[in-house]
Amino acid sequence: MSQSAYPSLAFVGAGRVGRTLARAYAARAAGQGLAPLLAVASRSMRAAQDLAAQLPGCLALTPAEAVQCADWVFLTVSDDAIASVAEGLPWRPGQVALHCSGATELSALAAAERAGAQVAGFHPLQIFSDPARAEKLLAGSAVAIELRQPNEELQQRLLALADLLGMKPLLLPPGSRAAYHAAAGFSASFLLSLLDEATQLWASVGLPPDAALQALLPLARGTLDAAEARGLPGALSGPIARGDLGVVAAHLAALDGLGGAHGEFYRVMARRQLSLARLSGRLDEAGLQGLQALLKP
């Protein structure tokens, strides 16, 4: 897309997601000879000014001023605030209003749509707890793109923006955001739940939690590397993959003996592994049935 055809962009919301995307866009736009990010806005003018100071040529404005001057406006506010913030802004026909939430449906931007703006979602599939690290990881990450109404020109422009940021686009069908976002959570913060369970179990046999986490993280990284290289069924390892009934029975006896929900949690996770074991083709039907019987609720 040529510079003259590129829309002017503004971000309303200077939190972690807004800061990360604004800095990433500004850096990529400068490298491609595109116009700089036009404006950033926040409920705190100080926050907007601090962010704008990091971005050459960028203005710190109020949210209303940012919407009045930009072609595309990204609402990078909290999910619960998207609809109320959108309601209070002076949208106009021909503008594009976008939010960067994974779970919130585009209906939250109804106020912009009523004013004649086009509505879309642009959700970066990355962790933003550390914005500096997230900015480094943004290139190569996926971004979920959704349009409220079919529009080939806007879709192509959103794909071009993803390409500018070095991101891999996923086109979401309408009404799928909550399920999509829940699934993403399994690959993100739910991994912490698994590591927490593992560190608790090691603590029960006398291993300190800090040492346990440091020992488990390379194992987790190795598993993810294997999944990337060989796919989920091909990466499966351990007693389920081998059909080792004796080891699984020993695991269950130890975890049930600890009380709580440890044994139940193991059974749920192990039953999900059975489908991967079947896909891997490494176990015969008798072996799979034996594991299913052992792991029944």
Side-chain angles (χ1 to χ4, degrees):
M1 190 182 302
S2 67
Q3 177 170 341
S4 61
Y6 219 87
S8 58
L9 270 62
F11 284 85
V12 174
R16 294 171 178 174
V17 175
R19 293 200 307 271
T20 302
L21 287 177
R23 286 197 294 250
Y25 174 81
R28 293 295 183 115
Q32 296 291 324
L34 299 174
L37 181 67
L38 180 61
V40 293
S42 173
R43 61 185 175 183
S44 162
M45 181 54 74
R46 176 64 181 272
Q49 290 169 340
D50 287 347
L51 178 55
Q54 304 171 38
L55 309 172
C58 183
L59 302 171
L61 301 176
T62 67
E65 289 169 340
V67 171
Q68 287 170 337
C69 69
D71 298 321
W72 287 21
V73 180
F74 290 81
L75 296 190
T76 48
V77 298
S78 66
D79 284 45
D80 290 344
I82 292 172
S84 60
V85 170
E87 284 286 346
L89 293 174
W91 305 101
R92 63 179 184 274
Q95 206 166 25
V96 178
L98 307 100
H99 73 54
C100 296
S101 164
T104 300
E105 296 293 344
L106 297 185
S107 56
L109 298 174
E113 192 171 35
R114 289 195 303 270
Q118 299 176 77
V119 167
F122 193 85
H123 175 245
L125 203 59
Q126 190 47 259
I127 299 295
F128 291 90
S129 52
D130 181 346
R133 178 171 171 77
E135 188 176 345
K136 294 177 182 177
L137 295 174
L138 207 59
S141 298
V143 58
I145 293 172
E146 181 189 352
L147 277 67
R148 176 77 160 165
Q149 300 292 338
N151 185 310
E152 183 63 24
E153 180 184 359
L154 178 56
Q155 179 172 299
Q156 291 304 314
R157 286 189 162 207
L158 287 165
L159 293 174
L161 177 60
D163 183 64
L164 176 69
L165 296 173
M167 305 188 76
K168 302 173 183 177
L170 301 171
L171 296 178
L172 285 186
S176 65
R177 301 187 77 84
Y180 147 80
H181 194 251
F186 279 101
S187 297
S189 292
F190 276 13
L191 293 178
L192 304 181
S193 302
L194 294 173
L195 289 170
D196 180 59
E197 175 71 6
T199 57
Q200 285 186 43
L201 293 174
W202 276 16
S204 74
V205 298
L207 292 171
D210 289 346
L213 182 60
Q214 293 307 309
L216 291 165
L217 285 174
L219 184 63
R221 293 189 185 104
T223 301
L224 293 174
D225 288 345
E228 183 175 28
R230 301 194 296 274
L232 299 179
L236 189 64
S237 64
I240 301 294
R242 299 189 300 268
D244 197 333
L245 294 174
V247 172
V248 174
H251 288 174
L252 291 171
L255 298 184
D256 288 340
L258 292 174
H262 297 298
E264 177 186 355
F265 191 43
Y266 182 97
R267 287 178 175 86
V268 170
M269 295 293 100
R271 286 197 297 271
R272 293 303 298 265
Q273 283 197 5
L274 289 178
S275 62
L276 293 176
R278 177 174 278 108
L279 289 171
S280 74
R282 293 169 59 186
L283 296 181
D284 59 21
E285 194 59 35
L288 288 166
Q289 289 180 0
L291 286 167
Q292 284 178 327
L294 189 62
L295 295 167
K296 63 184 179 182

